[in-house]
Amino acid sequence: MPIATPEVYAEMLDKAKQNSFAYPAINVSSSQTLNAALRGFAEAGSDGIVQVSTGGGEYLSGPTVKNMVSGSVALAAYAHEVAKNYPVNIALHTDHCPKDKLEGFVRPLLAISAERVARGENPLFQSHMWDGSAVPLEENLEIAKELLALTKAARIILEVEIGVVGGEEDGVAHEINEKLYTTVEDGLATVEALGTGENGRYLTALTFGNVHGVYKPGAVKLRPEILKEIQDQVGAKVGKERPFDLVFHGGSGSTLEEIRAAVDHGVIKMNIDTDTQYAFTRPAAAHMFANYDGVLKVDGDVGNKKAYDPRAWGKAAEEGMAKRVVEACEHLRSTGTSLLA
């Protein structure tokens, strides 16, 4: 099917929340990783989200070009074409965008979608993230409020981060401390500034000990119960059950119990990057080790074209990543839930 329309994306998110499951949101940085994600979603019978970060956008434009908008537009155009071949719905999203990159990333992409919508077309991306975790909450929400008006006009969903995710991703780094836990007061300030949907739909990344990067289970204390506390208390205040559409960031190394608990409390999107990067690279590394004398021209030999052809190890890499996407769907209970099933 083609990339999800705004209406289909909204239906996807509503179904996830109503049925207590979440969509894996897979970061991609090439046509190969995109194809791997699409294959994984199709094999799981799950709709899904594919996303590109500022660094991913730069890489997609060419490592010497480093134009995050050009790379992101190219990825979206490619995705709109190849996604037609898969029997699931796919939404396109842009990941973490800090304040210093808004003018060079999200705002230009929003302008492109606004122009498309004005012509009667669908937006290029279905959602964009504003990462205001590095600025004071008041400023974070002021910017979010302005962006929400723009995304609503462009038929796009905004994602905001209320709290701090530890670790580092694409140059945005935070310490691992008490700031990793969003408070009820933060949640109340969010609905006061952005509303509960009447001003435009938004996804909320509330933090409960999340850390980007690689870590083993138990290394970081995740407290998914914080999500329930915020949903309950803010919900009571605004008269709406589970008012937030939640996003789980920094989930690598989380236990299945922690993941399922977060989903039970309203998480409908979980970002997955580190694990799928490894799942893609590991088979490629295995191929290189197993075909050492084929991929290298050892002692002046000519090597083995069948071994060093990028398609040889690329297929293995894509298969490995696709399997990890299938596993993510199982963990998040989205297997077999496609709107097209």
Side-chain angles (χ1 to χ4, degrees):
M1 292 294 290
I3 294 297
T5 64
E7 293 78 13
V8 168
Y9 189 32
E11 187 178 354
M12 285 169 54
L13 299 178
D14 289 342
K15 182 176 181 179
K17 194 168 186 179
Q18 291 165 4
N19 294 280
S20 295
F21 68 87
Y23 296 106
I26 308 298
N27 280 72
V28 301
S29 56
S30 66
S31 59
Q32 283 191 297
T33 50
L34 170 64
N35 285 332
L38 296 177
R39 173 180 172 178
F41 284 124
E43 290 181 354
S46 171
D47 298 327
I49 300 169
V50 169
Q51 56 191 28
V52 59
S53 65
T54 56
E58 285 188 346
Y59 182 78
L60 279 156
S61 72
T64 61
V65 176
K66 294 184 177 181
N67 185 316
M68 63 186 81
V69 172
S70 178
S72 299
V73 170
L75 181 279
Y78 183 78
H80 274 267
E81 181 58 37
V82 297
K84 297 175 184 177
N85 300 310
Y86 295 89
V88 291
N89 296 298
I90 300 295
L92 299 178
H93 175 77
T94 60
D95 201 8
H96 293 269
C97 181
K99 183 180 178 181
D100 64 344
K101 294 183 178 179
L102 276 176
E103 297 300 325
F105 189 51
V106 164
R107 291 190 188 280
L109 291 174
L110 268 174
I112 291 171
S113 283
E115 291 174 0
R116 289 170 61 98
V117 169
R119 296 195 299 265
E121 302 172 11
N122 287 319
L124 188 62
F125 284 83
Q126 285 64 61
S127 51
H128 291 297
M129 182 187 178
W130 147 238
D131 183 353
S133 60
V135 301
L137 181 61
E138 183 177 357
E139 182 182 1
N140 180 354
L141 292 174
E142 285 178 359
I143 294 173
K145 186 175 182 179
E146 183 227 340
L147 290 173
L148 185 60
L150 295 175
T151 54
K152 181 181 181 181
R155 303 176 69 210
I156 290 171
I157 294 173
L158 181 68
E159 180 180 327
V160 298
E161 184 167 310
I162 307 301
V164 171
V165 175
E168 188 272 335
E169 181 176 53
D170 274 346
V172 179
H174 295 296
E175 295 180 4
I176 298 175
N177 54 33
E178 72 283 350
K179 293 183 179 179
L180 302 185
Y181 303 96
T182 307
T183 66
V184 172
E185 290 70 29
D186 295 336
L188 289 169
T190 300
V191 296
E192 183 176 342
L194 305 182
T196 58
E198 67 276 11
N199 300 317
R201 187 165 189 171
Y202 63 95
L203 307 174
T204 311
L206 300 178
T207 58
F208 51 103
N210 319 57
V211 175
H212 286 134
V214 183
Y215 62 93
K216 295 180 179 179
V220 177
K221 178 59 178 175
L222 290 177
R223 296 171 55 197
E225 65 274 11
I226 286 177
L227 302 179
K228 184 178 188 307
E229 179 184 7
I230 295 174
Q231 291 274 46
D232 288 348
Q233 294 198 35
V234 174
K237 181 78 172 180
V238 301
K240 184 177 182 180
E241 185 179 2
R242 295 196 300 171
F244 291 112
D245 294 335
L246 298 180
V247 180
F248 187 164
H249 286 199
S252 296
S254 302
T255 66
L256 182 57
E257 181 182 14
E258 291 167 335
I259 292 172
R260 293 275 174 84
V263 172
D264 287 339
H265 300 324
V267 164
I268 58 175
K269 171 179 180 281
M270 180 175 176
N271 290 9
I272 301 175
D273 188 13
T274 302
D275 288 356
T276 46
Q277 287 178 344
Y278 181 78
F280 182 85
T281 301
R282 181 65 180 82
H287 176 89
M288 299 306 170
F289 283 120
N291 297 278
Y292 179 82
D293 58 349
V295 298
L296 297 179
K297 296 183 179 182
V298 180
D299 296 332
D301 202 349
V302 295
N304 182 347
K305 184 180 184 300
K306 290 183 179 180
Y308 60 72
D309 185 333
R311 290 171 293 184
W313 54 266
K315 290 176 183 177
E318 288 186 29
E319 182 179 6
M321 181 171 164
K323 288 180 178 178
R324 183 60 183 86
V325 173
V326 171
E327 181 182 323
C329 292
E330 293 171 352
H331 288 174
L332 295 171
R333 308 188 188 117
S334 71
T335 301
T337 63
S338 174
L339 297 178
L340 300 172

